[in-house]
């Protein structure tokens, strides 16, 4: 984290020679249940002990917890329910309260207060709500409270869901200005193949670049959205690393895993963060809103955007897909349908259709007004 983002207490610790960090600990269901049908309280005690120790060393901890559905099922005595979204939401509604109560009791043993934060993607969609969520998270941290975050499953519908706690934890890491994101799971890390079905698979210790080869071995659809497993962990790692956050996938049941990772020991799979992370507004473009539409550009524009870091001019636009307003985030593709960038559009899709292929000088004549020469300004664009 940049020093300017650290609290006074953290800056004093750093001055005293002890580097303190903001660490997001994402706990998967498998870690919290040990593969059983109920929460493994003995192990939750152990996880809290480790977090409390880090706190006493001056680190700030954010928990992203799964397990609400497991807790709900256990509390209701394992009811037979139809396999519907409503049943899941029912279990999450019952279980979230139980889950937060467990965390409260356990952190209470160490005199640590927790604060519940239930998020959906809608909370991050527009920049103002995103900044509000960020202020709340930072306020909790600055007041010595451990934020305990989960997706608001009881209300979240598919459109407004982040969808999985791996991606949610990356967004939370960005909101909280985290230094490290620990994705705790039931495997020792990312392997060369799924270790459940490939006993010869080998642990990958360090990842410098997340490419299609890596995505394939994690079981994700290349370029698309995988569900669960390692695919979502890779998506999360990609987003977090771009924001300058170090990401580690490791076994949540390994003895002292959280303490060792905070101390920088080589455990699990480590993803190296970008050395010059994106600045705040660009982090939001990358992580916040879902794209409202797509723009396809020609080869000349690809070179300008990708290699020269130029703004995207209307002249290079060949196709406009979807309906979006001025100020919404869109994806930019090349003619072979490869995703190149995300950016905030200066023009609505209706305007964009009219000015596509036109010279910037002609925009005013075509529309009767103009919002500048660039269709998407370089400051509003993240090249992928
Ligand atoms: N290349 C791979 N390396 C390691 N694990 C893999 C790989 N490909 C697929 N997997 C699977 O991913 C699983 C871990 O992801 P999963 O989403 O189940 O866990 P979690 O994140 O701990 O839990 P939750 O999704 O409930 O939060 C492993 O149990 C493993 O079977």
């Amino acid at each position: 984290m940049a020093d300017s983002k650290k609290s006074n207490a953290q800056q004093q610790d750093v001055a005293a020679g002890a580097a303190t960090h903001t660490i997001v600990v994402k706990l998967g269901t498998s870690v919290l249940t040990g593969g059983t049908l109920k929460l493994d309280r003995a192990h939750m005690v152990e996880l809290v002990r480790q977090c409390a120790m880090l706190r006493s060393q001056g680190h700030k901890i954010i928990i992203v917890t799964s397990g609400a559905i497991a807790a709900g099922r256990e509390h209701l005595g394992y009811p037979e329910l139809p396999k519907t979204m409503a049943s899941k939401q029912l279990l999450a509604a019952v279980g979230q309260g139980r889950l937060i109560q467990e965390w409260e009791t356990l952190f209470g043993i160490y005199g640590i207060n927790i604060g519940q934060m239930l998020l959906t993607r809608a909370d991050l969609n527009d920049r103002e709500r995103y900044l509000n969520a960020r202020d709340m998270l930072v306020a909790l941290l600055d007041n010595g409270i451990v934020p305990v975050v989960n997706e608001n499953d009881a209300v979240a519908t598919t459109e407004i869901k982040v969808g999985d706690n791996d991606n949610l934890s990356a967004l939370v890491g960005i909101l909280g200005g985290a230094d490290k994101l620990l994705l705790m799971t039931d495997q020792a890390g990312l392997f060369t193949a799924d270790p459940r079905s490939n006993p010869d698979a080998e642990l990958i210790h360090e990842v410098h670049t997340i490419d299609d080869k890596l995505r394939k071995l994690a079981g994700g659809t290349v370029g698309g959205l995988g569900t669960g497993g390692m695919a979502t962990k890779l998506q999360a790692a990609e987003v977090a690393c771009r924001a300058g956050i170090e990401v580690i996938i490791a076994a949540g049941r390994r003895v002292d895993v959280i303490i060792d990772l905070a101390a920088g020991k080589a455990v699990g799979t480590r993803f190296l963060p970008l050395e010059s992370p994106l600045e705040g507004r660009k982090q939001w473009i990358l992580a916040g809103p879902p794209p409202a539409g797509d723009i396809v550009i020609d080869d000349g524009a690809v070179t300008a955007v990708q290699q020269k870091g130029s703004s995207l001019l209307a002249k290079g636009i060949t196709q406009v897909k979807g309906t979006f307003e001025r100020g919404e985030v869109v994806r930019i593709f090349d003619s072979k349908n490869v995703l190149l960038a995300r950016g905030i559009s200066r023009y609505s899709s209706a305007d964009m259709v009219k000015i596509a292929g036109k010279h910037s000088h002609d925009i005013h004549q075509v529309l009767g007004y103009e919002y500048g020469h660039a269709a998407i300004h370089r400051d509003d664009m993240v090249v992928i």
Side-chain angles (χ1 to χ4, degrees), residues 23 26 37 40 47 60 72 82 122 153 155 157 165 170 177 189 210 229 239-240 260 265 267 280 293 314-315 329 359:
I23 303 170
K26 184 262 170 179
L37 285 176
D40 179 352
L47 294 166
K60 292 180 174 182
D153 273 330
V155 296
T157 56
N165 274 1
I210 299 172
V239 169
D260 286 349
K265 289 195 185 159
V267 178
K315 188 148 185 33
V329 171
H359 204 283

Side-chain angles (χ1 to χ4, degrees), residues 26-31 66-67 164-166 183-197 201-202 204 214 216-219 227-233 249:
K26 184 262 170 179
L27 300 161
T29 311
S30 51
V31 175
S66 302
D164 65 89
N165 274 1
D166 295 321
L183 297 171
M184 303 282 92
T185 184
D186 59 350
Q187 302 293 337
L190 176 67
F191 285 76
T192 49
D194 187 344
R196 287 198 212 221
S197 42
E202 286 171 25
I204 300 169
L214 203 67
K216 262 187 199 147
L217 63 87
T227 50
M230 287 291 146
T232 50
K233 288 178 185 46
I249 303 177

Side-chain angles (χ1 to χ4, degrees), residues 290-341:
D294 294 340
I295 286 174
V296 183
I297 62 176
D298 65 20
D299 293 349
V302 172
T303 311
V305 164
Q306 218 170 27
Q307 284 163 29
K308 299 186 191 147
S310 311
S311 297
L312 174 65
L313 302 179
K315 188 148 185 33
I317 297 174
T318 54
Q319 230 184 321
V320 179
K321 300 178 186 173
T323 309
F324 49 89
E325 295 302 322
R326 163 177 152 78
E328 285 199 288
V329 171
V330 295
R331 295 182 299 180
I332 301 161
F333 290 86
D334 70 8
S335 56
K336 296 191 190 73
N337 211 25
V338 175
L339 179 63
L340 300 172

